[in-house]
Amino acid sequence: MMLLSGYDPVMYSRMLTGLTLAFHIIFATIGVGVPLMIALAEWIGIKRGDEHYLLMARRWARGFVITVAVGVVTGTAIGLQLSLLWPSFMRVAGQSIALPLFLETFAFFFEAIFLGIYLYTWDRFKNRQTHLWLLIPVVLGSSASACFITIVNAFMNAPAGVTVKNGHIVDISPFGAMLSPAMPTKVSHVLVTAYLTCAFILAAISAWSLLKGRDHVYYKKALKLTMVSACVFLLASAAIGDLSGKYLAKYQPEKLAAMEWHFETTKQAPLVLGGVLTEDNRIKYGLKIPFALSFLAHGLPNAEVTGLNDIPEDEHPPLFIHYLFDTKMAFVSIMVAIGAAFLVLLWRKRDAVYRNKWMLRGIIAAAPLAMLTIEHGWIFSEVGRQPWLLRGIMRTTEGATASDHVDTMLIVFALLYLVLAVSAVTVLIRMFRSNPAEEEIAAKGIQGGGEL
Amino acid sequence: MSYEVLGITVLWIFLFGYLIVASIDFGAGFFSYYSTITGKRHLINNIIERYLSPVWEVTNVFLVFFFVGFVGFFPDTAYYYGTALLIPGSIAIVLLALRGSYYAFNTYGTNKNNRFYMLLYGASGLLIPASLSTVMTISEGGYIQVSDSGKVTFLFSKLIASTYSWTVVLLALVSVLYISAMFLSYYADRANDRGAFEVVRKYALAWSGPTILCSLLVFFAIRGHNAEHFERMTQHAWMFVLSFACFLIAVYHVWTRKRLGLSFIFVMLQFGFAFFGYGAGHLPYILYPYLTIHDNFTSRPMALALISVFILGLLLLVPSLYLLMRLFLFDTKYVQGKRGK
């Protein structure tokens, strides 16, 4: 409650930035992942000459436009808010990481141009392949813009390519700053989890229709395509997640230590699952897995892991990130279970996957869980770098605006996002409810369209 | 040419690009709503929608591009403008957000032509240029106070009370309507849609007078507000004379209903000359009198990197933009609505 008594521009700036990002990330994730799924569907449709997949691509694209609109406007918001709320930070960022910011806009520009063309040329070219080609720049552009903006964030977590003298950046290598040690793991993690989340979201939509008893083969094809993709992306993100842990141990040990409540620097460090932290930093009810943290951090059970006590107290991240991380991992394990169950069921008795109510319910649950995992992952990553805005260079308090009225703006934007969220969801639901796939298939006179 | 001048020129070109495409977009939104109340919607809605649908996203990127580039080349601007613009900037963001998303909800959703969505869309189209133009006003100086310790205070009440700021807002509003109507006249003519053409032609002619009047007004207001800037603008007087000549040629063609493509090129030239004349007079200041383009310009390697990336990016963007225009602007069949989606 202390935080809310009295006007503190730093606190309000953090809250407003957090709110905008949390909202934008939902649409940004969809913006990165869905084009890939649309491309997959259209490609399969052309390859097999199956009209169902082509319709799938078209229907996904139709809904995608709505989410893109919200993604574009909230992206513009966060772009401007960076300068409005963090003017001192942007002064430094402008010197050091203007390049990836600039490149991000280029990628986005490229994507926007081709998305406009793609959406309005479904029946324009004689050769269907031509239309599919238009989607390649959209997929490349959306993934590239995610990549570049993550590079900016990677720099904030582990600045590279700069020389710091007395807390000021003096020497900059623009391309060097892009190759921060955090970059490879962060970029790949962001991309793969975005693909994963979108595969689950689209799977949940098909599962919903199947659960309602609409058993058109269209939904089965959609479910199979999206779930198999989701399983592939799950495997990839697990591998990258492991690398992220090793990155943390090497470059941001304080984040790893805070997230695992690891106080004493030791060898054969145990991993703590769950638990509660008491006032005097003792762990209660936690489940300790011996050697696991050493293994997670360095791949060897005997490796030494830095503890929080070896890090200056005013550089400790908040310890509650442990809860964030554990919740995130719980979500991940549920998703893995659902993915595995789907594969097993598909392999053992093919058709049950599309009829088993619990399977379908599980898939529907996986979509919001995947999105929550993205949110938790981001909050964990961002809060875990506190008190730094630029790790080792600039503290968060030094970067924020001193301007009045940030509190008013927080309310204004909270209302804006609420209105946008409600409208977008209403429009999307209405769009698909009033025009179900089987009706569109009948109206277009699509015949057969190949077997599952 | 020094890196600073090169940088600001590149950015100015982008801002000019935004000025043209956004004006078309903002004005079209307003006309679209206005035609609904006046019962002429059935006449002009088709051409507006056919043009806007494929390009609305691209418009926004011009703006983002401009301010990201600006902070990249001139990091100190983030500090001064960022602190000062919290309120006008946030208002602009909210309006842009409502406008962009409700356009999509209205166009792609099932509940087409929802009156409320249209009102939001039309009204924001006029308010956004007004709120964005405050940045131009602030850049002239006099609305920001910087204390000895470097704390920036924005003098909001001074901005509200200033005649100069209101003339700029007025110019922004009428120019948006003028540019948009001139473009729509060209587009309707290409579409061979006589009904729509006659409607938007009237809009174009009606807004041409106020546009030139407001330009003169701003000219005089600058003299009162920032004499130094006015002085430097008179050194580029030929640009403003040319701008006026282009205006006459553009309006003449719309008046005689002939060669409307050429007419719109002259509209762009008209604003081009005025915009670059204004910009050249503004130099070297970015924020009078605190910030010039030489203060804390980004480091040499970063400037080089940004410019190289910019050129490479253009090699990618220009052909793509050309393709977009080929498919939706210069494709007669599409413009006339004879192509399926």
Side-chain angles (χ1 to χ4, degrees):
Chain A
M1 278 338 272
M2 275 290 285
L3 300 176
L4 293 173
S5 60
Y7 176 76
D8 174 8
V10 179
M11 186 38 87
Y12 284 116
S13 295
R14 288 183 63 189
M15 286 163 76
L16 180 47
T17 312
L19 179 70
T20 305
L21 276 175
F23 190 67
H24 175 63
I25 279 169
I26 297 174
F27 296 92
T29 303
I30 295 174
V32 172
V34 171
L36 184 69
M37 298 307 298
I38 296 176
L40 263 179
E42 196 170 344
W43 179 63
I44 295 177
I46 293 173
K47 207 180 64 168
R48 297 192 191 159
D50 188 332
E51 293 286 339
H52 285 157
Y53 286 98
L54 293 174
L55 183 72
M56 206 180 289
R58 203 164 177 154
R59 286 174 66 84
W60 286 347
R62 223 178 276 153
F64 181 60
V65 194
I66 303 292
T67 59
V68 165
V70 183
V72 168
V73 297
T74 50
T76 310
I78 188 66
L80 273 163
Q81 273 178 358
L82 278 180
S83 292
L84 298 176
L85 297 173
W86 308 94
S88 309
F89 162 67
M90 281 309 272
R91 206 182 201 176
V92 177
Q95 298 279 8
S96 49
I97 38 174
L99 189 62
L101 275 172
F102 205 59
L103 280 166
E104 196 257 355
T105 348
F106 258 123
F108 175 47
F109 214 142
F110 196 50
E111 180 198 344
I113 292 173
F114 281 93
L115 185 62
I117 299 177
Y118 177 81
L119 289 173
Y120 282 86
T121 50
W122 281 95
D123 301 322
R124 192 146 167 183
F125 306 108
K126 285 211 181 71
N127 186 350
R128 280 173 156 178
Q129 214 87 37
T130 316
H131 189 243
L132 179 62
W133 284 117
L134 288 170
L135 202 54
I136 306 294
V138 179
V139 174
L140 285 180
S142 59
S143 293
S145 64
C147 167
F148 289 124
I149 206 65
T150 313
I151 286 178
V152 173
N153 184 268
F155 179 88
M156 294 164 77
N157 273 282
V162 294
T163 315
V164 182
K165 243 186 204 157
N166 306 328
H168 287 282
I169 291 176
V170 284
D171 204 15
I172 299 147
S173 140
F175 290 95
M178 288 175 65
L179 301 171
S180 130
M183 192 274 265
T185 44
K186 266 198 186 278
V187 169
S188 45
H189 199 85
V190 163
L191 287 179
V192 171
T193 51
Y195 301 149
L196 169 68
T197 306
C198 291
F200 268 131
I201 290 174
L202 296 172
I205 298 174
S206 323
W208 180 269
S209 300
L210 286 167
L211 192 65
K212 291 272 153 189
R214 289 153 51 184
D215 62 349
H216 197 283
V217 67
Y218 170 90
Y219 297 112
K220 296 179 183 172
K221 285 176 181 171
L223 190 72
K224 191 175 165 193
L225 169 64
T226 48
M227 280 306 288
V228 171
S229 315
C231 291
V232 173
F233 297 136
L234 259 177
L235 272 179
S237 45
I240 296 161
D242 179 59
L243 291 175
S244 304
K246 303 205 167 19
Y247 152 77
L248 280 184
K250 194 162 176 201
Y251 294 97
Q252 284 182 284
E254 74 280 4
K255 199 191 245 183
L256 184 75
M259 107 191 186
E260 290 305 341
W261 288 343
H262 184 61
F263 295 97
E264 294 297 331
T265 303
T266 49
K267 290 179 178 176
Q268 306 176 353
L271 185 77
V272 182
L273 284 185
V276 187
L277 201 65
T278 58
E279 291 279 323
D280 53 346
N281 285 349
R282 262 175 235 287
I283 304 163
K284 266 191 188 169
Y285 317 118
L287 176 67
K288 281 192 184 180
I289 308 174
F291 307 111
L293 185 59
S294 289
F295 209 81
L296 183 80
H298 301 286
L300 297 166
N302 274 325
E304 187 177 79
V305 181
T306 315
L308 264 186
N309 293 349
D310 282 357
I311 291 157
E313 193 145 350
D314 65 339
E315 289 176 18
H316 284 191
L319 291 171
F320 72 82
I321 60 172
H322 175 78
Y323 301 117
L324 287 173
F325 184 73
D326 275 16
T327 320
K328 177 185 142 159
M329 290 325 282
F331 292 157
V332 171
S333 30
I334 300 175
M335 283 192 284
V336 169
I338 293 168
F342 179 86
L343 286 185
V344 170
L345 217 54
L346 186 69
W347 176 50
R348 293 304 294 264
K349 28 182 184 173
R350 283 194 91 76
D351 220 31
V353 193
Y354 310 110
R355 273 186 279 112
N356 186 315
K357 291 217 156 143
W358 282 107
M359 188 68 250
L360 296 173
R361 282 182 195 134
I363 293 171
I364 294 169
L369 278 185
M371 196 52 94
L372 276 174
T373 313
I374 298 255
E375 293 280 359
H376 272 75
W378 267 109
I379 300 171
F380 159 72
S381 172
E382 295 305 282
V383 177
R385 118 178 103 82
Q386 296 306 320
W388 297 108
L389 185 50
L390 280 172
R391 185 178 178 275
I393 302 176
M394 182 185 250
R395 279 172 191 267
T396 306
T397 42
E398 297 164 329
T401 181
S403 182
D404 306 329
H405 313 298
V406 188
D407 49 350
T408 323
M409 293 305 128
L410 177 63
I411 297 170
V412 169
F413 279 98
L415 284 174
L416 172 72
Y417 300 144
L418 185 71
V419 169
L420 287 184
V422 171
S423 313
V425 171
T426 319
V427 169
L428 278 173
I429 290 179
R430 204 184 287 152
M431 216 164 151
F432 289 97
R433 193 163 277 170
S434 69
N435 184 20
E438 49 271 48
E439 275 178 27
E440 206 175 344
I441 289 168
K444 287 201 165 177
I446 294 174
Q447 298 291 332
E451 284 311 297
L452 184 67
Chain B
M1 202 192 265
S2 67
Y3 284 144
E4 288 95 320
V5 179
L6 190 62
I8 194 81
T9 310
V10 163
L11 294 171
W12 208 240
I13 292 172
F14 258 88
L15 192 57
F16 178 66
Y18 181 67
L19 183 123
I20 298 292
V21 289
S23 295
I24 297 175
D25 188 328
F26 292 147
F30 176 77
F31 290 135
S32 182
Y33 177 67
Y34 180 73
S35 67
T36 313
I37 347 177
T38 52
K40 287 186 177 147
R41 185 174 170 73
H42 57 286
L43 285 176
I44 67 168
N45 189 50
N46 271 339
I47 59 154
I48 290 184
E49 197 174 307
R50 220 172 293 142
Y51 166 74
L52 281 183
S53 305
V55 302
W56 64 271
E57 274 189 283
V58 179
T59 311
N60 227 19
V61 191
F62 271 93
L63 178 68
V64 180
F65 209 102
F66 171 73
F67 69 71
V68 168
F70 214 78
V71 175
F73 278 109
F74 307 101
D76 266 14
T77 53
Y79 182 70
Y80 286 94
Y81 281 107
T83 313
L85 286 173
L86 180 66
I87 294 176
S90 297
I91 294 174
I93 300 173
V94 171
L95 290 170
L96 280 169
L98 288 176
R99 184 184 154 80
S101 34
Y102 280 91
Y103 174 74
F105 298 163
N106 193 31
T107 314
Y108 304 101
T110 42
N111 195 4
K112 275 202 178 185
N113 306 327
N114 179 319
R115 274 242 172 172
F116 175 67
Y117 289 3
M118 304 256 332
L119 174 67
L120 265 183
Y121 184 61
S124 57
L126 291 185
L127 294 172
I128 294 169
S131 67
L132 287 180
S133 66
T134 53
V135 183
M136 287 289 174
T137 315
I138 292 170
S139 77
E140 294 294 337
Y143 307 105
I144 280 183
Q145 207 171 36
V146 180
S147 74
D148 293 335
S149 61
K151 187 180 180 324
V152 176
T153 320
F154 177 46
L155 310 170
F156 189 71
S157 50
K158 215 166 166 187
L159 183 78
I160 292 288
S162 134
T163 347
Y164 173 64
S165 81
W166 287 110
T167 56
V168 174
V169 168
L170 204 63
L171 177 63
L173 285 184
V174 292
S175 315
V176 160
L177 296 173
Y178 166 73
I179 294 175
S180 185
M182 291 297 266
F183 175 81
L184 290 173
S185 302
Y186 157 67
Y187 202 68
D189 183 57
R190 277 204 59 111
N192 234 340
D193 188 339
R194 297 332 289 176
F197 174 72
E198 289 306 323
V199 176
V200 286
R201 174 180 172 268
K202 276 199 195 99
Y203 293 161
L205 294 175
W207 289 108
S208 61
T211 302
I212 242 20
L213 274 179
C214 290
S215 311
L216 285 174
L217 213 59
V218 167
F219 223 73
F220 287 116
I222 282 196
R223 189 159 78 164
H225 185 79
N226 183 342
E228 203 184 325
H229 186 184
F230 180 78
E231 197 55 42
R232 263 177 284 123
M233 270 164 68
T234 53
Q235 288 165 16
H236 304 281
W238 60 275
M239 294 184 93
F240 298 97
V241 174
L242 271 182
S243 165
F244 185 66
C246 294
F247 164 77
L248 291 178
I249 299 173
V251 173
Y252 171 78
H253 282 110
V254 172
W255 180 261
T256 56
R257 298 186 173 85
K258 273 182 199 129
R259 312 199 64 177
L260 291 144
L262 194 68
S263 161
F264 191 69
I265 290 178
F266 275 100
V267 171
M268 290 201 272
L269 286 174
Q270 174 200 341
F271 279 87
F273 280 120
F275 192 70
F276 282 88
Y278 168 86
H282 206 298
L283 288 180
Y285 290 105
I286 301 178
L287 174 62
Y288 184 87
Y290 301 106
L291 209 57
T292 72
I293 54 170
H294 309 292
D295 295 325
N296 204 3
F297 181 65
T298 191
S299 66
R300 225 183 124 81
M302 184 56 90
L304 258 177
L306 285 178
I307 291 169
S308 334
V309 162
F310 181 78
I311 292 167
L312 288 177
L314 277 189
L315 292 179
L316 200 69
L317 281 187
V318 171
S320 322
L321 276 173
Y322 175 73
L323 183 65
L324 186 73
M325 292 204 278
R326 263 284 305 269
L327 290 172
F328 300 110
L329 215 55
F330 303 126
D331 183 314
T332 317
K333 273 194 185 164
Y334 173 81
V335 176
Q336 294 177 356
K338 288 180 188 155
R339 273 203 203 277
K341 277 181 194 172

